[in-house]
Amino acid sequence: MLKTQTIQEELNLISTTVANLPNTHPFDVPHDYFHQLSARILHNAGISGSAVDADPDLSPLLASLKELNPYSVPVDYFRELKVTPQKPDTKIVRIQPWKTWTAYAAAACLAGIMVIGGVFNNGTGKAPETMALKENTLAEQAVSTETIQSYLNEADAGQATETMNNETGSENNLLVELNTEIIATILKEIPENDISFYMAQTGDHEMLLLN
Amino acid sequence: MNNVHDDNEWVALFKMGGNQKEQAFTKIVKHYQEKIYWQIRRMVVNHEDADDVVQNVFIKAWNGLDNFREDAKLSTWLYRIAVNESLSFLEQKKKKASVSFDDVAEVMENQLKAEKGFDESKAVWKLQLAIQQLPEKQRIVFNLRYFEEMAYEEMSQVLDTSVGALKASYHHAVKKIEEFILHG
């Protein structure tokens, strides 16, 4: 291949040695490499290959095989071939349509049971309180108001008696604890006027008690 | 040789989709496959490597041609993909081998010497040995100018570099090759 004039002139200006070298290459390629390269590129690019069939230059062998068909059919096959149109499919009706509803109902019941069980299991801390309140309410309804009032009156009276008994008991104990001689000594130390005044205020039964 | 009219027609057919898309792409591949292959082969030297890279280039073209804006020539766009794919391949090769630039040049030289029919006494092989000594960018510029005879303006679009920088690169590359041929 001869260099164009422009390239040659440019090279002459730079280096006459290089200008005199041939601008051919020494490399070799396999036989028919370029003939098959385009087909391989199209194949590797994932292209279908219809273009290869359409272009006899690309692959003459494939192009020549395109019209040949190795398969055969019986004589007059296509003439006798009849296509019978099929009837439209009959609509299919379910025999037991309620089965669907029962399935849904069973699922709903099961879900309800699970929810209720979950509520009771989660509220175990509050359940005893609720039961105690319920029992109190029932007891209040069973006992009448009068009964409750009389019970309270009796309770108050009993408490008062008990208080008095307690007080009397303490005085008696005090008297028991004091010896008669000590009492007489105490009385001697008290003036007669004070004693008379005291007896006039408290009455005879107190005096009797002291004697 | 096709012209810009053919390129535009193929791109338009490709963008229409369907069976026409495949037919248009087949024509594009058939038209550009050799030019793209040789550009890659001069970069990567080995045929099997070049075969892998050229297939990647056209698969990328298939995936990206719908978005091709036609403000550049189809050939320029394909060359640009080829350059990027070649450089990516060489970069991966460097990483795999964990070698520096000098070592890569040695590896490429050894690959060249292993090529069928290699004869260092012949000018064509000596020139290839000299090209393998060049830095990657200068090698691309030299190949596109010397073998493909590409105009600097188009090369500027392919490599996204100014025309002045490309001329300087080419000048340096030719001088280095001359030095290698004479004293190498």
Side-chain angles (χ1 to χ4, degrees):
Chain A
M1 185 175 166
L2 293 171
K3 298 186 204 72
T4 58
Q5 194 177 353
T6 315
I7 302 293
Q8 191 66 47
E9 285 174 0
E10 185 184 35
L11 278 172
N12 284 334
L13 289 172
I14 303 168
S15 167
T16 49
T17 309
V18 179
N20 292 328
L21 291 171
N23 68 342
T24 53
H25 55 76
F27 300 114
D28 205 6
V29 290
H31 180 65
D32 272 352
Y33 172 72
F34 288 115
H35 195 71
Q36 297 167 0
L37 180 60
S38 53
R40 289 202 302 120
I41 288 167
L42 294 169
H43 175 74
N44 290 342
I47 302 165
S48 65
S50 56
V52 176
D53 295 340
D55 193 346
D57 293 339
L58 188 63
S59 177
L61 178 63
L62 283 175
S64 66
L65 292 173
K66 187 182 174 185
E67 301 301 325
L68 298 175
N69 184 2
Y71 304 105
S72 61
V73 291
V75 180
D76 288 339
Y77 169 74
F78 289 108
R79 187 178 293 173
E80 292 170 4
L81 181 65
K82 289 179 182 176
V83 180
T84 310
Q86 290 183 342
K87 291 178 182 177
D89 293 336
T90 308
K91 189 181 178 183
I92 298 168
V93 180
R94 292 176 69 90
I95 295 173
Q96 295 173 316
W98 50 271
K99 276 192 172 180
T100 311
W101 292 100
T102 52
Y104 282 119
C109 289
L110 185 63
I113 290 165
M114 290 172 72
V115 168
I116 291 165
V119 167
F120 275 102
N121 282 336
N122 289 334
T124 48
K126 292 180 179 177
E129 285 181 16
T130 313
M131 294 294 286
L133 284 171
K134 200 170 182 180
E135 284 173 4
N136 287 341
T137 310
L138 288 169
E140 283 170 7
Q141 286 174 351
V143 181
S144 65
T145 311
E146 290 81 12
T147 313
I148 294 166
Q149 190 59 48
S150 68
Y151 169 76
L152 290 172
N153 291 339
E154 284 173 9
D156 288 344
Q159 195 173 5
T161 311
E162 190 178 350
T163 308
M164 283 185 68
N165 289 338
N166 287 341
E167 284 175 1
T168 313
S170 62
E171 283 175 1
N172 291 336
N173 289 340
L174 182 64
L175 291 171
V176 168
E177 284 171 8
L178 290 174
N179 196 341
T180 310
E181 292 177 356
I182 296 168
I183 294 169
T185 311
I186 292 168
L187 286 173
K188 283 177 184 176
E189 290 175 357
I190 299 170
E192 286 293 332
N193 293 336
D194 291 344
I195 294 169
S196 301
F197 178 73
Y198 175 76
M199 288 183 66
Q201 282 188 334
T202 56
D204 292 341
H205 69 276
E206 293 286 335
M207 198 62 208
L208 288 170
L209 186 64
L210 287 170
N211 292 328
Chain B
M1 183 78 183
N2 83 311
N3 51 35
V4 178
H5 176 73
D6 290 334
D7 281 353
N8 292 342
E9 193 180 323
W10 293 338
V11 172
L13 278 172
F14 183 90
K15 288 184 178 179
M16 286 173 74
N19 199 35
Q20 287 171 315
K21 182 176 182 174
E22 295 176 20
Q23 286 183 23
F25 190 70
T26 305
K27 287 184 188 300
I28 291 169
V29 171
K30 286 181 73 178
H31 184 78
Y32 285 107
Q33 61 182 4
E34 283 199 48
K35 285 185 175 182
I36 298 295
Y37 171 84
W38 286 119
Q39 189 204 335
I40 294 166
R41 179 76 186 269
R42 287 186 203 105
M43 285 294 291
V44 301
V45 176
N46 182 271
H47 166 71
E48 280 71 29
D49 294 342
D51 184 45
D52 286 344
V53 177
V54 79
Q55 293 203 40
N56 287 342
V57 169
F58 281 108
I59 287 169
K60 289 205 169 176
W62 168 266
N63 292 328
L65 205 52
D66 277 322
N67 300 320
F68 178 61
R69 288 174 299 180
E70 295 176 57
D71 48 2
K73 284 162 65 180
L74 180 62
S75 59
T76 306
W77 184 67
L78 289 171
Y79 274 120
R80 193 180 173 110
I81 298 173
V83 166
N84 289 335
E85 286 296 309
S86 301
L87 291 175
S88 297
F89 176 83
L90 292 173
E91 195 62 33
Q92 285 173 4
K93 199 167 189 173
K94 256 190 276 185
K95 282 181 183 171
K96 279 181 188 172
S98 301
V99 292
S100 64
F101 169 76
D102 292 336
D103 294 330
V104 166
E106 196 179 323
V107 169
M108 301 304 280
E109 191 180 316
N110 288 335
Q111 273 195 358
L112 193 63
K113 286 176 180 173
E115 282 291 307
K116 184 184 171 186
F118 177 81
D119 185 353
E120 202 172 349
S121 63
K122 288 185 177 175
V124 284
W125 286 106
K126 188 107 177 168
L127 176 62
Q128 289 301 320
L129 274 176
I131 291 170
Q132 295 308 320
Q133 312 303 315
L134 297 173
E136 281 171 0
K137 189 75 179 282
Q138 283 183 17
R139 204 184 328 157
I140 293 167
V141 172
F142 183 83
N143 283 335
L144 288 176
R145 185 69 178 165
Y146 188 83
F147 292 105
E148 300 295 329
E149 301 194 345
M150 188 181 279
Y152 284 115
E153 287 72 20
E154 188 180 355
M155 210 189 298
S156 173
Q157 289 184 314
V158 172
L159 301 174
D160 202 17
T161 310
S162 69
V163 170
L166 292 171
K167 283 181 178 176
S169 245
Y170 184 67
H171 184 90
H172 288 303
V174 172
K175 284 290 179 191
K176 283 180 187 173
I177 288 169
E178 181 188 39
E179 178 69 19
F180 184 87
I181 299 277
L182 295 175
H183 309 288

